[in-house]
Amino acid sequence: SRTGAGLQVCLRLTMQRGTWILRSLSMPQVHRTFASNFSTTAKPKIVAPKMVYIQGEEMTRYCMQLVLDKWVKPHVDITNWEFYDLSCISRDKTEDKVLKDAVDAGKRIGAIFKEPTVTPTEVQRIQMGLKKAWGSPNGAMRRGWNGITISRDTIHIKGLESLLGFKKPVLFERHAVGGEYQAGWRNVGSGTVETIFTGKDGQKTVIDTRTLKDAESAVVTYHNPLDNVVDLAHIFFERCLVAKVTPYVVTKKTVFKWQEGFWSRMKEVFDKHYKTQFVEAGLLDKCGYELPHLISDSATMQIIRWTGGGFGMAAHNYDGDMLTDEIAQIHRSPGFITSNLIGKNEDGSLIKEFEASHGTVADMWHEHLIGKETSLNPLGLVEALIGAMNHSALLAAEAGADAAPVTDFTALIRASMERAFVSGLGTRDLVGPAGLTTEQFVECVGALMEGEDVAALQARYAPKAPPRAAAPPPKADPAAADKPVVDHDLIRGLFEQLDVNGDGSVTFEEFERGLTRLNVAPRKGESVARELRISLDDPI
């Protein structure tokens, strides 16, 4: 279970005689219970149910191979997993048949994990010797799996609240189809453009006619499917209820009139099926007890202001893409939000694909290739793997299997990874220059999964820095009566939050990051002679 404060309890899920049985374990019990259960010498391996594993490339593929080798394979038999290599070379060699096979397998199995992939540019096509610059596989997956929504949520870790942008969860549903991503276009000269719809009965309807006077114009056509918005609405509102957050629907319908259908369907589902539950839960108290609508312009500003979190948003494809990037940057980085494509089979069963919301981390890969140390934080990747494994276990449980062995194991992965982070054994994006390398972090978490003591790992990987000297008492100031009283404890608290790596000093980079997170960093051309108000209740 994830809440705004991070992982609070671990739920052990079992199906017995058609009934779900839930037992909770508190965080202190997780390692005592699970680490002993999953010692490599204690029990035979768990047999994982069927799942599709899509391999990508560059740094994220390298890191996930380490995760599989060090965390998964020692404890889990993954022979039931189906692997599909979607690297550019593999797609080129198979004339993209591997992509079609992966889509077919995902539709058949219903639980998919995907590593980040490369969509080659023309330059990369030449560099890799490809026959063509193959298109993004994501569109084929969304079409092949009848994509409904891409769910993206903030990731929270108890003990790291000061490093993250939102205090409580932020949920997002991005319509998975339609819009600019499926647009047809062509550059044309001056003349007339006529857009015509032809129905199944052959009846033609002119959608638009316009005259182009410029010597060159880009003509673009796209559509927004509306049938599956009802499914998106149910997914969104159910998730918001579980997370106890207030839902907002985001459109630009005041100007883009064609977006009215998205809003009207969302509201119809909400009023009929969910409004009473949200009112009773107190989640509409501040918005007039109605489903709130936000203009997309306003949403971009509110996301910056609402750092307390506790809200959800649903939007069209393009708006969802942009707004979730904004959420990721405010929260910390794309590595701290999830990404889950939900589609639907013809029989009504849901297809769920889990991936990190970031790319292949090409710059770090190039450093790795020339022998430089790297420090990749695999949090988003591993959360995606956990999601896919848990979903595969639940699908197997519906056929009578026991989900608990898999969900217990994934809970151990998450608890061990988070324990490393809060114990100062994180990667450099969190700890600073003293952070662990990519390989060290994987080794460290693997040791925690085996039950190794945190103190021993701290001594091995991150020797403690000398304790900070106590701050000297302030000198008496004869003019103190004319000055505001300074709260030195709060100032010390602010300093410690800015001092990310805890070395007793604030570097320029730490100071700049802190001001940027507070949204008070001066912009170019802006005077700094303005009042600065900082609340320690706000995340740094």
Side-chain angles (χ1 to χ4, degrees):
S1 171
R2 270 187 187 281
T3 70
L7 184 67
Q8 299 297 304
V9 295
C10 176
L11 296 180
R12 177 174 289 176
L13 179 61
T14 311
M15 179 176 273
Q16 297 177 357
R17 297 180 182 178
T19 302
W20 290 111
I21 305 297
L22 285 173
R23 291 189 291 118
S24 65
L25 295 173
S26 64
M27 280 301 293
Q29 293 175 301
V30 170
H31 273 87
R32 290 200 300 269
T33 302
F34 292 163
S36 60
N37 284 351
F38 291 101
S39 170
T40 53
T41 59
K43 288 186 177 182
K45 289 185 178 182
I46 300 163
V47 178
K50 290 183 179 181
M51 188 181 87
V52 174
Y53 190 112
I54 294 176
Q55 296 170 303
E57 52 198 308
E58 299 188 328
M59 194 65 197
T60 46
R61 178 163 181 169
Y62 168 73
C63 183
M64 284 308 299
Q65 190 60 54
L66 293 176
V67 168
L68 288 178
D69 291 341
K70 301 291 186 180
W71 300 359
V72 179
K73 290 181 179 178
H75 308 283
V76 182
D77 178 352
I78 60 173
T79 54
N80 287 328
W81 290 5
E82 296 186 16
F83 285 81
Y84 295 89
D85 181 1
L86 289 193
S87 64
C88 292
I89 298 298
S90 173
R91 294 179 64 190
D92 200 62
K93 286 182 177 179
T94 64
E95 298 286 343
D96 229 12
K97 181 178 182 300
V98 66
L99 173 58
K100 180 181 182 303
D101 291 344
V103 171
D104 290 344
K107 191 172 183 179
R108 170 171 42 86
I109 293 174
I112 307 105
F113 167 74
K114 177 181 174 291
E115 295 174 359
T117 52
V118 169
T119 301
T121 63
E122 183 61 23
V123 172
Q124 289 173 314
R125 182 196 70 78
I126 296 171
Q127 289 174 341
M128 289 186 274
L130 305 177
K131 301 182 186 75
K132 60 183 288 187
W134 300 97
S136 169
N138 294 332
M141 293 174 183
R142 292 168 193 170
R143 291 189 296 273
W145 297 331
N146 297 316
I148 299 168
T149 181
I150 303 169
S151 303
R152 289 182 172 170
D153 304 343
T154 52
I155 298 172
H156 298 260
I157 299 174
K158 185 175 177 61
L160 296 184
E161 293 87 352
S162 65
L163 299 179
L164 301 177
F166 294 101
K167 292 181 180 179
K168 296 179 181 178
V170 175
L171 278 58
F172 209 104
E173 299 298 342
R174 169 189 168 190
H175 199 194
V177 292
E180 293 84 338
Y181 299 91
Q182 296 178 355
W185 67 278
R186 181 167 294 182
N187 284 345
V188 298
S190 58
T192 301
V193 174
E194 189 173 57
T195 308
I196 299 174
F197 167 75
T198 304
K200 289 184 176 181
D201 59 358
Q203 184 71 31
K204 295 183 182 295
T205 303
V206 176
I207 304 298
D208 180 73
T209 302
R210 62 186 59 208
T211 300
L212 306 182
K213 297 181 179 179
D214 288 359
E216 185 175 19
S217 296
V219 176
V220 184
T221 60
Y222 66 82
H223 71 291
N224 285 317
L226 294 174
D227 288 357
N228 68 3
V229 173
V230 171
D231 289 326
L232 184 153
H234 283 292
I235 292 168
F236 177 53
F237 297 132
E238 287 171 4
R239 292 196 330 111
C240 287
L241 272 175
V242 170
K244 296 181 173 59
V245 302
T246 300
Y248 292 82
V249 177
V250 179
T251 75
K252 185 79 168 177
K253 68 187 183 73
T254 51
V255 177
F256 301 151
K257 303 300 183 183
W258 61 87
Q259 295 188 357
E260 181 68 37
F262 184 88
W263 159 253
S264 63
R265 282 164 175 77
M266 295 289 292
K267 181 167 172 52
E268 181 180 353
V269 171
F270 180 82
D271 289 345
K272 183 176 181 180
H273 299 282
Y274 299 98
K275 181 176 180 178
T276 300
Q277 298 174 70
F278 275 93
V279 171
E280 291 174 350
L283 296 172
L284 301 179
D285 291 353
K286 296 181 179 180
C287 42
Y289 305 103
E290 297 289 343
L291 175 64
H293 174 268
L294 278 178
I295 300 299
S296 53
D297 311 57
S298 175
T300 62
M301 294 182 285
Q302 300 298 7
I303 286 171
I304 296 172
R305 294 179 60 240
W306 293 346
T307 53
F311 64 89
M313 291 183 176
H316 283 92
N317 200 348
Y318 181 78
D319 283 348
D321 194 2
M322 298 300 102
L323 292 173
T324 52
D325 281 349
E326 182 184 10
I327 289 170
Q329 293 305 322
I330 291 171
H331 194 48
R332 187 170 185 90
S333 75
F336 280 81
I337 64 171
T338 63
S339 187
N340 169 208
L341 170 65
I342 302 177
K344 194 173 185 179
N345 262 318
E346 286 76 7
D347 62 3
S349 61
L350 294 182
I351 302 167
K352 293 189 177 183
E353 178 252 6
F354 300 80
E355 62 181 319
S357 66
H358 57 75
T360 59
V361 198
D363 54 345
M364 201 175 287
W365 176 242
H366 295 149
E367 292 181 350
H368 171 77
L369 290 177
I370 61 176
K372 289 187 177 181
E373 282 189 350
T374 63
S375 184
L376 175 64
N377 184 343
L379 178 64
L381 290 163
V382 176
E383 281 292 339
L385 179 63
I386 289 172
M389 291 181 68
N390 286 349
H391 185 58
S392 71
L394 293 180
L395 291 178
E398 291 174 359
D402 185 2
V406 172
T407 56
D408 283 356
F409 174 72
T410 57
L412 174 64
I413 291 180
R414 177 179 284 146
S416 300
M417 187 165 53
E418 295 186 355
R419 194 178 185 195
F421 284 134
V422 300
S423 301
L425 296 167
T427 44
R428 293 170 187 169
D429 60 319
L430 293 177
V431 179
L436 276 58
T437 65
T438 303
E439 296 81 5
Q440 287 174 336
F441 182 75
V442 174
E443 291 170 359
C444 178
V445 173
L448 287 172
M449 292 175 64
E450 295 287 352
E452 192 164 339
D453 183 62
V454 169
L457 293 169
Q458 288 173 328
R460 184 188 312 165
Y461 293 113
K464 290 184 179 178
R468 296 177 178 172
K475 295 181 179 180
D477 184 352
D482 299 327
K483 296 181 179 180
V485 177
V486 174
D487 189 324
H488 293 279
D489 290 335
L490 287 179
I491 292 175
R492 170 59 63 179
L494 175 60
F495 175 84
E496 290 178 351
Q497 293 192 54
L498 291 173
D499 180 18
V500 175
N501 63 5
D503 63 358
S505 64
V506 176
T507 66
F508 177 80
E509 288 76 14
E510 289 173 326
F511 182 67
E512 181 181 37
R513 189 190 325 179
L515 292 186
T516 303
R517 294 291 297 265
L518 287 166
N519 199 30
V520 295
R523 270 57 171 182
K524 288 185 178 180
E526 177 184 49
S527 171
V528 298
R530 59 190 176 97
E531 185 176 9
L532 173 62
R533 295 185 181 274
I534 299 175
S535 168
L536 289 182
D537 290 333
D538 291 333
I540 300 298

